[in-house]
Amino acid sequence: MKKLIAAALIAVMTLSLAACGSKEAEEPATATTPDTETAPETETDKEEEPQENQEPAATPDADGGAYGEFTTVTDGVLTMGTNAAFPPYEFYEGENIVGIDAEIAELLAEKLGLKLEIVDMDFTAIITSVQTGKVDMGLAGMTVDEERLKNVNFTDSYATGVQVIIVKEDSDIQSVEDLKGKLIGVQEGTTGHSYCKDDYGEENINALTNGATAVQALVNGKVDCVVIDEQPAISFVEANEGLKILETEYVVEDYAAAVSKDNDGLKDALNAALKELKEDGSIQEILDKYIKSE
């Protein structure tokens, strides 16, 4: 009987040891299998991730094209520097800056997949702000001229401007030829300022901070006339009785956006977007909204 019990105990221990041995033999295989199966996936993931990161930061247009690679001062934002005292191109409506340039800039930002931010500043600070990277572009009824081209690049033109002369209705100034010897009011830093300085000398110029101040100087008799862009001139004359615009044009010029010389990518992207906005009539629609044809 003891032999039978001993034999039974030996059999149970043998089965128990066999079971433990089987479990220990299986566990390494189970642990190894996930490593073996996931290793190729991990390797594949490592190969795919750089491809995603290397794709250019470009915004596709409706036709599936792209505006190319460019940088902005703030990621996801197109920052526009302007002087919001130049109706109808930029002016305040309540606390908001509105006008031709503001609406065109909004469409440009949308095309490039960016949010628009407008920074109001002195007109004379705009070029420097573009140069130093404080803003991405200057959009302020700004004319392309040789002096500015020394410091910044310009996009393609989006509108044509005309320099005109504002006088009092009883003024003896009847044409451009009558400006000689007169005291001319201008907005400091504008092409009107530059043209008049070259044509009549700095001593005959009263350069003021903005167009409204220059027109007020005319109303108060502190200057004999004001040379300024036609569209703001129309707004200023409508707002001030006793003034008129001479029929004689002083200078015809093109408006464009100023961009840093170090950011050709942004200039190219803006030009591509401007081209589309011209072709689909969006820019003309904005111009017609603010500039009423006679």
Side-chain angles (χ1 to χ4, degrees):
M1 186 67 177
K2 290 181 180 179
K3 289 181 180 179
L4 289 174
I5 292 171
L9 289 172
I10 291 169
V12 170
M13 291 177 64
T14 303
L15 288 171
S16 177
L17 289 170
C20 291
S22 298
K23 189 175 181 181
E24 290 173 359
E26 287 171 1
E27 282 179 348
T30 304
T32 305
T33 302
D35 292 343
T36 306
E37 290 176 354
T38 56
E41 293 179 1
T42 305
E43 191 64 30
T44 302
D45 292 342
K46 288 180 181 178
E47 292 175 2
E48 288 178 354
E49 286 176 359
Q51 292 177 5
E52 292 176 351
N53 295 335
Q54 288 170 4
E55 288 182 6
T59 304
D61 61 24
D63 297 323
Y67 296 108
E69 295 184 45
F70 58 85
T71 60
T72 56
V73 174
T74 303
D75 288 344
V77 178
L78 180 65
T79 308
M80 162 186 162
T82 196
N83 176 237
F86 195 67
Y89 285 89
E90 40 269 322
F91 58 98
Y92 277 96
E93 196 169 80
E95 296 181 355
N96 299 318
I97 297 175
V98 299
I100 293 172
D101 287 341
E103 291 201 20
I104 289 176
E106 186 66 50
L107 292 183
L108 289 171
E110 287 178 9
K111 285 280 188 183
L112 303 185
L114 303 170
K115 177 184 176 182
L116 178 66
E117 180 180 310
I118 303 177
V119 181
D120 189 15
M121 61 183 69
D122 289 342
F123 187 83
T124 52
I126 295 174
I127 294 294
T128 303
S129 295
V130 172
Q131 279 184 289
T132 56
K134 292 182 179 178
V135 299
D136 297 306
M137 65 177 184
L139 202 59
M142 188 174 291
T143 307
V144 181
D145 68 11
E146 293 302 319
E147 191 62 31
R148 290 172 182 159
L149 282 169
K150 294 176 182 177
N151 301 305
V152 294
N153 286 332
F154 279 94
T155 63
D156 296 334
S157 174
Y158 62 89
T160 299
V162 179
Q163 292 285 321
V164 297
I165 304 165
I166 305 176
V167 296
K168 288 187 175 181
E169 290 180 344
D170 60 356
S171 174
D172 61 351
I173 300 174
Q174 302 297 318
S175 68
V176 175
E177 287 72 26
D178 297 329
L179 293 182
K180 187 175 181 181
K182 302 294 186 180
L183 183 58
I184 305 168
V186 297
Q187 180 178 350
E188 185 182 14
T190 63
T191 50
H193 181 186
S194 178
Y195 298 145
C196 290
K197 180 179 67 175
D198 292 344
D199 292 344
Y200 304 105
E202 191 70 61
E203 66 276 10
N204 292 310
I205 306 302
N206 187 357
L208 299 152
T209 55
N210 56 57
T213 306
V215 170
Q216 194 58 47
L218 174 61
V219 170
N220 295 335
K222 295 181 179 180
V223 296
D224 298 311
C225 64
V226 171
V227 172
I228 197 169
D229 296 65
E230 182 180 35
Q231 293 308 317
I234 292 171
S235 298
F236 292 139
V237 168
E238 288 177 349
N240 294 274
E241 291 185 9
L243 302 183
K244 67 178 182 180
I245 300 171
L246 298 184
E247 294 183 4
T248 307
E249 294 177 349
Y250 188 25
V251 178
V252 178
E253 50 197 9
D254 290 322
Y255 293 156
V259 185
S260 169
K261 286 182 175 290
D262 297 326
N263 202 348
D264 284 340
L266 180 58
K267 183 189 75 172
D268 293 342
L270 290 172
N271 278 338
L274 276 172
K275 184 174 184 291
E276 292 175 359
L277 294 173
K278 289 177 186 177
E279 289 175 349
D280 68 15
S282 296
I283 288 182
Q284 190 58 52
E285 186 177 337
I286 293 171
L287 293 172
D288 292 342
K289 173 182 174 180
Y290 288 93
I291 302 174
K292 308 300 181 184
S293 58
E294 296 180 359

